[in-house]
Amino acid sequence: MAHSAHRDALPHAAPAAAVEERAPFGADPEKRRRILKAAVRTFGRRGFHEARIAEIAAAAKVAEGTVYLYFRNKEDLLGVVFDESMEDVLEKGRSLARSKAPAAEQLTALVDLHLQFIGSDRDLASVFQIELRRSARLVERFSRSKLVEYFRLLADVLRAGIASGEFRRNLEPRLAVRILFGAADEILSEWLLSGEKKPIADAKQLVGTLLRGFAAPGDSLKVAARRRRKPQ
Amino acid sequence: MAHSAHRDALPHAAPAAAVEERAPFGADPEKRRRILKAAVRTFGRRGFHEARIAEIAAAAKVAEGTVYLYFRNKEDLLGVVFDESMEDVLEKGRSLARSKAPAAEQLTALVDLHLQFIGSDRDLASVFQIELRRSARLVERFSRSKLVEYFRLLADVLRAGIASGEFRRNLEPRLAVRILFGAADEILSEWLLSGEKKPIADAKQLVGTLLRGFAAPGDSLKVAARRRRKPQ
Amino acid sequence: MAHSAHRDALPHAAPAAAVEERAPFGADPEKRRRILKAAVRTFGRRGFHEARIAEIAAAAKVAEGTVYLYFRNKEDLLGVVFDESMEDVLEKGRSLARSKAPAAEQLTALVDLHLQFIGSDRDLASVFQIELRRSARLVERFSRSKLVEYFRLLADVLRAGIASGEFRRNLEPRLAVRILFGAADEILSEWLLSGEKKPIADAKQLVGTLLRGFAAPGDSLKVAARRRRKPQ
Amino acid sequence: MAHSAHRDALPHAAPAAAVEERAPFGADPEKRRRILKAAVRTFGRRGFHEARIAEIAAAAKVAEGTVYLYFRNKEDLLGVVFDESMEDVLEKGRSLARSKAPAAEQLTALVDLHLQFIGSDRDLASVFQIELRRSARLVERFSRSKLVEYFRLLADVLRAGIASGEFRRNLEPRLAVRILFGAADEILSEWLLSGEKKPIADAKQLVGTLLRGFAAPGDSLKVAARRRRKPQ
DNA sequence: CATGAATGAGGTTTCATTCAT
DNA sequence: TATGAATGAAACCTCATTCAT
């Protein structure tokens, strides 16, 4: 999951439509899928810039021109990969967030979703962790709403947990969202780049650590509090 | 601080040598600085791919060819920006880590260094948070060792904190490092892309939250622990 | 009427056959007409190169493939526009030339035909005055014979006028044909490109001026004649 | 000489500057000339659309990129050919028009300039008679002012001739200009496309015919006049 | 050391045309 | 006969890099 996607005041025409690929009437959905799959593979392995449309087309066993029947251009292809993947993830995320489970469990489930989604496919991971961060314009156009919705899911769970007394009263949900996302994102990047078989931690470990905190019980916070009063 | 973009099996030349710019004997260090500064500005505003060597040269008031007297190529220029910035940061980081202050304070200081460094210059932030994540080869060659050292600084502080009883015995330092770095990184990305004046949290807030944890005192962990035993 | 664009030694297939569109037996003549009309409109407004077959097909309310049932290719479509328009014009021109009217009147009528034909429709004018001059191969194949016949009509009238004593004995018919055609053509181009409502002269004015000549009675010719004897 | 170039209300930014090629400081004028010459040759023989920049570059013995150092793009290259050729012609035309010779002689000299200029080089002729008429935009940008000035030279001579009594009082100069230009233009097109060695007429013959008129002395005008009164 | 003119590789995208239905 | 999805060829131009001065 790309994290970028902010930049408040860029005008964008038809947000949804702009994202939509150019699908000919009666389009062959199987062909479309083949192209998307080939794109993930190729973008993931070669990187967006090094990926050649000719290569994607060949991998999808279609002519080069056919790619442009289904997608506006190369960037659009990347955008659609993001968009549809995110939609799948969000679909699952929404239903997880609808469950009545304790907040901690919901958080774990959402983070697990994140880690599983990216962590299950190195090519896709490469697209999400590397390629998608390249282009502000791209991110602007494609990832805004989907990612924001994912953040909102996390924030809602956090707020519910605070309200139910499961989480600290003075926990700042927006900051906590960034911590959760940033930590998971970093774990995935590390996994991707290290070449290890599995990420350094799973959702339970990560969320567990975040809930419990780093400090030894009854200790660090007081120290920190004490120090804070002293001038630098 | 960018970290990403290693691809599994990219061959990379002699890391140290590759990092070294082509500095003619007696090169004008002032000119070199001007070029680097122009590069940060240009990469930051235009992005690496859109940045033109001609533009950087013009901004630095040197001829295009001169850039190549000081730097191997465009990618090298980006790499040197990273490398020298990181070296500055590491220098400070090392001295912070040498202090005898409590671990929590050291952590806060290191995170503060991270946030201040990136958060003080949008152009530089853009280079670190966006441009540097683009090129597998680049990061492979340039960022590995410096970034690893930064991670080691964090890890050392964490281990010291665990040893001193300041942090939980069962805290996993490698995971904690990723959490710290990932959260700070995400906060910076959010700040960069949102266009807000300041990041949503400073080092104290971030580290405070991480040390204390999300869960309400005496609550969530038990809940989480209990649930964990039940099959899904 | 376009005339140009022959290149010296272009091989050209069977001129007649090449001109013939691929008309399937029982083809719908109404559909054919719609396509031709759409072609004039589109070629005229967009230019040949910018005109898209898809656009012409859409304007004619047929499928793209259907265009190729009636016409060999895009160039053929342009050629047929020329050819059939010229045939209409020639039909009228032949009957004008068969009349027993004085040569001056016949000339005027023919020039009027030229000006009215092109001057009545800016799209058609654009095709004839601009687009048709573009393609050597095209004009080579399509326009030669029709245009030559038009020139012959003019030449016949001129010769008849000379024979009848209406025109100067030493008038060179071939030159006069080119003058008549070139002047009318230029007037039409000027009209087309100027955006004016009407051409700067009608057939009567043009032919009148050409018949009468520029020189003041009894003057310039002597001057010109005198000068001519001197060596350069 | 292209005849088109009208269209009143198209906005164009810096008319002169837009025409100007991109000349690097210290540009090699010899190289520039070689490229222009190669362009005339290639455009003339292949046509603008079929001409490949690679071909022009090879003919000029420069790298492809070098073409773009001297000229903005392919169209600009064509425009500069027109512009500089016209400037040469205009230079001569202006001095011819400054002479105190009789109007008929001046006209002949100007038409001769036109015929000699285009008629001396089939490649150049092809560019002027065919390629330059293709693109309204091109003509719009490049030929407007130069061609208009040429027309003005002709018009000035005509007006002077009328004033001096050399030409008919009621001669319409604007129409006469178009006749002169159109006739010469047509003669050149015919020559170009026919493959004949020389144009069908030289300036003296053409201007002589136009001054004297087609009609037999004392005849045709009366006839025409008489007929004109009768209803069609 | 510095210059900047010259080089030339490289790839997306369009769109005329085809052909299976 | 009609369709329109699929094809795939084709070339301009940019710009990082070099090298003669």
Side-chain angles (χ1 to χ4, degrees):
Chain A
M1 280 157 213
H3 52 64
S4 356
H6 310 254
R7 187 160 296 177
D8 284 304
L10 278 186
H12 47 266
V19 170
E20 239 8 274
E21 65 281 19
R22 175 197 292 179
F25 186 74
D28 187 342
E30 137 74 356
K31 202 166 282 184
R32 185 175 180 283
R33 246 190 310 275
R34 264 180 11 234
I35 297 171
L36 278 174
K37 203 174 156 190
V40 170
R41 233 183 99 96
T42 312
F43 287 150
R45 300 185 178 195
R46 285 269 208 268
F48 181 80
H49 258 98
E50 302 313 308
R52 305 290 159 237
I53 290 291
E55 197 179 357
I56 294 172
K61 306 224 188 265
V62 297
E64 285 176 57
T66 304
V67 174
Y68 290 85
L69 242 38
Y70 288 84
F71 304 94
R72 207 171 304 281
N73 54 36
K74 194 180 169 186
E75 200 173 68
D76 185 56
L77 193 44
L78 181 56
V80 171
V81 166
F82 174 81
D83 231 49
E84 303 206 348
S85 301
M86 278 302 291
E87 192 47 47
D88 286 355
V89 168
L90 278 176
E91 189 55 48
K92 289 183 192 148
R94 283 181 210 117
S95 84
L96 290 175
R98 268 194 301 268
S99 83
K100 299 293 183 192
E105 268 180 42
Q106 290 193 3
L107 272 194
T108 305
L110 284 172
V111 170
D112 189 56
L113 182 63
H114 182 174
L115 294 177
Q116 296 296 337
F117 167 58
I118 304 276
S120 62
D121 177 350
R122 286 198 112 87
D123 292 332
L124 192 68
S126 193
V127 170
F128 272 77
Q129 300 302 113
I130 297 175
E131 300 311 323
L132 273 168
R133 316 200 168 192
R134 197 192 37 90
S135 160
R137 190 158 106 269
L138 189 76
V139 169
E140 185 61 36
R141 280 165 76 191
F142 296 113
S143 38
R144 183 75 131 147
S145 55
K146 305 279 186 190
L147 209 52
V148 164
E149 189 184 343
Y150 181 77
F151 288 146
R152 186 152 39 225
L153 287 180
L154 288 173
D156 287 346
V157 171
L158 284 162
R159 280 194 208 94
I162 292 167
S164 74
E166 212 178 324
F167 299 153
R168 285 196 290 110
R169 285 252 98 87
N170 56 348
L171 181 66
E172 184 58 63
R174 285 178 60 217
L175 174 56
V177 163
R178 295 293 162 174
I179 291 171
L180 278 160
F181 183 87
D185 186 60
E186 174 62 24
I187 284 167
L188 286 166
S189 285
E190 200 272 329
W191 160 75
L192 176 66
L193 301 174
S194 70
E196 294 296 326
K197 194 140 191 196
K198 292 178 37 158
I200 197 179
D202 64 17
K204 261 180 204 151
Q205 293 172 283
L206 172 55
V207 175
T209 302
L210 289 175
L211 293 191
R212 178 186 301 123
F214 296 179
D219 176 64
S220 70
L221 299 185
K222 291 165 206 158
V223 173
R226 246 180 285 131
R227 296 275 163 187
R228 214 173 290 142
R229 282 179 216 113
K230 295 183 185 179
Q232 269 198 338
Chain B
M1 281 154 215
H3 51 79
S4 26
H6 308 250
R7 208 83 34 131
D8 299 273
L10 278 187
H12 49 274
V19 170
E20 236 14 90
E21 65 279 21
R22 176 195 291 177
F25 186 74
D28 185 343
E30 139 73 355
K31 203 168 280 185
R32 184 174 183 284
R33 245 189 312 275
R34 277 201 335 255
I35 296 171
L36 278 173
K37 201 173 155 191
V40 170
R41 231 184 99 96
T42 311
F43 287 150
R45 300 184 178 197
R46 282 268 211 266
F48 181 80
H49 257 98
E50 299 313 305
R52 307 290 162 235
I53 289 290
E55 196 179 358
I56 293 171
K61 309 226 187 263
V62 298
E64 288 173 57
T66 304
V67 173
Y68 290 84
L69 294 176
Y70 289 84
F71 303 94
R72 202 173 305 281
N73 53 35
K74 192 180 172 186
E75 203 170 66
D76 185 56
L77 194 44
L78 181 56
V80 171
V81 166
F82 174 82
D83 232 48
E84 303 207 347
S85 300
M86 279 303 290
E87 193 47 47
D88 286 355
V89 169
L90 279 175
E91 189 54 50
K92 290 183 192 149
R94 283 181 209 113
S95 85
L96 288 175
R98 268 193 302 269
S99 85
K100 299 294 182 190
E105 269 179 44
Q106 289 193 4
L107 273 193
T108 305
L110 284 172
V111 170
D112 189 55
L113 182 61
H114 181 175
L115 295 178
Q116 296 296 336
F117 168 58
I118 303 276
S120 63
D121 178 351
R122 287 199 113 86
D123 292 334
L124 192 68
S126 192
V127 171
F128 273 76
Q129 300 302 113
I130 296 176
E131 299 311 321
L132 273 167
R133 320 206 162 187
R134 199 194 34 86
S135 160
R137 204 161 91 262
L138 186 74
V139 178
E140 185 65 34
R141 273 170 159 170
F142 295 112
S143 37
R144 196 51 138 171
S145 56
K146 303 280 185 189
L147 208 52
V148 163
E149 189 183 343
Y150 181 78
F151 288 146
R152 188 155 37 227
L153 286 180
L154 287 173
D156 288 347
V157 171
L158 283 162
R159 282 195 207 93
I162 293 167
S164 74
E166 208 178 328
F167 298 154
R168 286 194 290 109
R169 287 251 97 88
N170 55 349
L171 181 66
E172 182 59 62
R174 285 178 61 219
L175 173 56
V177 163
R178 296 292 165 174
I179 290 170
L180 278 160
F181 183 87
D185 186 60
E186 174 63 24
I187 284 167
L188 285 166
S189 285
E190 200 270 332
W191 161 74
L192 177 65
L193 299 173
S194 72
E196 293 296 326
K197 196 142 192 195
K198 295 176 36 154
I200 59 166
D202 62 18
K204 260 178 206 152
Q205 293 171 285
L206 172 56
V207 175
T209 302
L210 289 174
L211 293 190
R212 180 188 298 125
F214 295 178
D219 176 66
S220 71
L221 299 184
K222 291 164 207 159
V223 174
R226 245 181 286 130
R227 296 276 166 187
R228 218 173 287 140
R229 284 180 214 112
K230 296 184 183 178
Q232 269 200 337
Chain C
M1 279 154 217
H3 51 78
S4 26
H6 307 251
R7 208 87 28 135
D8 297 272
L10 276 187
H12 48 274
V19 170
E20 238 10 272
E21 65 280 20
R22 176 197 289 177
F25 187 74
D28 185 343
E30 140 73 356
K31 202 166 281 185
R32 186 175 181 282
R33 244 190 313 276
R34 274 194 346 246
I35 296 172
L36 279 172
K37 201 173 157 192
V40 170
R41 231 183 99 97
T42 311
F43 287 149
R45 300 184 178 197
R46 284 269 211 266
F48 181 80
H49 256 96
E50 299 313 305
R52 306 292 161 232
I53 289 290
E55 196 179 356
I56 294 172
K61 307 223 188 266
V62 298
E64 287 172 59
T66 303
V67 173
Y68 289 85
L69 294 176
Y70 290 83
F71 304 94
R72 202 173 304 280
N73 54 36
K74 192 181 170 185
E75 203 171 67
D76 184 57
L77 194 44
L78 181 56
V80 171
V81 166
F82 174 82
D83 231 48
E84 302 205 348
S85 300
M86 278 302 291
E87 193 46 48
D88 286 355
V89 168
L90 279 175
E91 188 54 48
K92 289 182 192 150
R94 282 181 211 115
S95 86
L96 288 175
R98 269 194 302 269
S99 84
K100 299 293 183 193
E105 268 180 43
Q106 289 192 3
L107 272 194
T108 306
L110 284 172
V111 169
D112 189 54
L113 181 62
H114 183 174
L115 294 177
Q116 295 297 337
F117 168 58
I118 304 274
S120 63
D121 178 351
R122 286 198 114 88
D123 292 333
L124 193 68
S126 192
V127 170
F128 272 77
Q129 300 302 112
I130 296 176
E131 299 311 322
L132 273 167
R133 316 202 166 189
R134 199 192 35 86
S135 162
R137 203 159 92 264
L138 187 74
V139 179
E140 186 64 35
R141 272 169 160 172
F142 296 111
S143 37
R144 196 56 138 166
S145 55
K146 304 280 185 189
L147 209 51
V148 163
E149 188 182 345
Y150 181 78
F151 288 146
R152 188 154 39 226
L153 286 180
L154 287 174
D156 288 347
V157 171
L158 283 162
R159 280 195 208 93
I162 293 167
S164 74
E166 211 177 326
F167 299 154
R168 285 195 289 110
R169 285 251 99 88
N170 56 348
L171 180 66
E172 183 59 62
R174 285 179 61 219
L175 174 55
V177 163
R178 295 292 164 175
I179 290 171
L180 278 160
F181 183 86
D185 187 59
E186 175 62 24
I187 284 166
L188 287 167
S189 285
E190 199 270 331
W191 161 75
L192 177 66
L193 298 174
S194 71
E196 293 297 326
K197 196 142 190 194
K198 294 177 38 159
I200 60 165
D202 63 18
K204 262 181 202 148
Q205 294 171 283
L206 172 56
V207 175
T209 302
L210 289 174
L211 294 191
R212 178 187 300 124
F214 296 177
D219 176 65
S220 70
L221 298 185
K222 293 163 206 159
V223 174
R226 244 180 285 134
R227 297 274 162 187
R228 214 173 289 142
R229 281 180 215 113
K230 296 185 184 177
Q232 266 198 338
Chain D
M1 282 155 212
H3 53 63
S4 3
H6 309 254
R7 185 160 296 179
D8 285 304
L10 277 188
H12 47 267
V19 171
E20 239 8 273
E21 65 279 20
R22 174 197 292 179
F25 186 74
D28 186 342
E30 138 73 356
K31 201 164 284 182
R32 185 175 181 284
R33 246 189 311 275
R34 267 184 5 237
I35 296 171
L36 278 173
K37 203 174 156 190
V40 169
R41 230 184 100 97
T42 311
F43 287 150
R45 300 187 177 196
R46 283 268 207 269
F48 181 79
H49 258 98
E50 301 313 308
R52 305 289 159 238
I53 290 290
E55 196 177 357
I56 294 172
K61 307 227 189 261
V62 297
E64 284 178 56
T66 304
V67 174
Y68 291 86
L69 243 36
Y70 289 84
F71 304 94
R72 208 172 302 282
N73 52 38
K74 195 179 169 186
E75 200 172 69
D76 185 55
L77 193 44
L78 180 56
V80 171
V81 166
F82 173 81
D83 231 49
E84 303 206 348
S85 301
M86 279 301 291
E87 193 46 49
D88 286 355
V89 168
L90 278 176
E91 189 54 49
K92 289 183 192 148
R94 285 182 209 114
S95 85
L96 289 175
R98 269 193 303 266
S99 85
K100 298 295 184 191
E105 269 181 42
Q106 290 193 2
L107 272 194
T108 305
L110 284 173
V111 169
D112 189 54
L113 181 63
H114 182 173
L115 294 177
Q116 296 296 337
F117 167 58
I118 304 275
S120 63
D121 178 350
R122 287 197 112 86
D123 292 333
L124 192 67
S126 193
V127 171
F128 272 77
Q129 300 302 113
I130 296 175
E131 300 311 322
L132 274 167
R133 320 205 162 186
R134 196 192 38 90
S135 161
R137 189 158 107 267
L138 190 75
V139 170
E140 187 60 35
R141 281 164 76 190
F142 296 113
S143 35
R144 182 68 127 161
S145 54
K146 305 279 186 189
L147 208 52
V148 163
E149 189 183 344
Y150 181 77
F151 288 146
R152 188 156 37 227
L153 285 180
L154 288 173
D156 288 347
V157 171
L158 283 162
R159 282 197 206 92
I162 293 167
S164 74
E166 207 177 328
F167 298 153
R168 286 196 288 109
R169 286 251 99 88
N170 56 349
L171 181 65
E172 183 58 61
R174 285 178 61 218
L175 174 56
V177 163
R178 295 291 163 175
I179 290 171
L180 278 160
F181 183 87
D185 186 61
E186 175 61 26
I187 283 167
L188 286 166
S189 285
E190 201 272 331
W191 161 74
L192 176 66
L193 300 174
S194 72
E196 294 297 326
K197 195 141 191 195
K198 293 178 38 159
I200 197 180
D202 64 18
K204 260 179 205 152
Q205 294 171 282
L206 173 55
V207 175
T209 302
L210 288 175
L211 294 190
R212 179 187 299 124
F214 295 178
D219 177 66
S220 72
L221 298 184
K222 293 164 207 159
V223 173
R226 245 182 286 130
R227 296 276 164 188
R228 215 173 288 140
R229 285 181 213 112
K230 295 184 183 179
Q232 271 201 334

